[in-house]
Amino acid sequence: ISPERMTTFRGAGEGAGVGGPDCAGRIEVFCVLCMPRARLTVQRVLLIMCKKMKHANSPFLAFAAWAGITAPVLFVGVFLINGSLRPGYDQFSSYVSALSLGPTGWIQILNFLIFGGLLFLFTRLVAAVFSGKTASKAGVILLTIIAAGYFLSGPFVMDPAGTPQAQVTIHGTLHGILGGIVFLLMPIV
């Protein structure tokens, strides 16, 4: 990681950051894949969340914010690297879930579990920040369902593509149902 890709900055003036009731403190953003504008966007999101939090000095809420930021990058990074190292896997025509099959399938299974868990932590942050409104409650419920869907997609491995209907397994069917629910709800949230 080059030094210019890794930045530490203070928010807009004193009092920006995570750490105290008035959000005083320092925000450190280590952004490897982001452009400079994306770094500023991450900073703004953290500042908005920090201002709305009732307990801004809560280490759990700060960790939940970072979980929501890093979870998608980690998830996509792992399956892209895993897919590029898997012989016979085509990232343009194969399902990501197909990486759960075979001797190195544990990597994608663990990837689903970690992503689902981190997304659930982020859901708790959203519930704390945007509490009290009906739309906020619905969003939290939908995010929780999506997090559970990803988490459960790990142990319920898909059946190989082209499996005859008579040989479809229960875990493969559950994986398909969970995937359908997740992909249906993601655009709504």
Side-chain angles (χ1 to χ4, degrees), residues 75 96-101 105-117 145-159 171-183:
F75 182 72
V96 170
S97 297
L99 292 170
S100 298
L101 303 171
W106 64 270
I107 297 170
Q108 185 57 35
I109 293 169
L110 190 62
N111 196 21
F112 277 128
L113 292 170
I114 291 171
F115 181 65
I145 293 169
I146 291 171
Y150 272 110
F151 187 84
L152 294 173
S153 291
F156 295 114
V157 179
M158 73 174 273
D159 291 321
H171 60 80
T173 303
L174 287 173
H175 185 90
I177 291 169
L178 292 167
I181 292 169
V182 165
F183 287 113

Side-chain angles (χ1 to χ4, degrees), residues 58-76:
S58 168
F60 172 76
L61 293 179
F63 178 73
W66 284 110
I69 293 168
T70 59
V73 175
L74 181 65
F75 182 72
V76 172

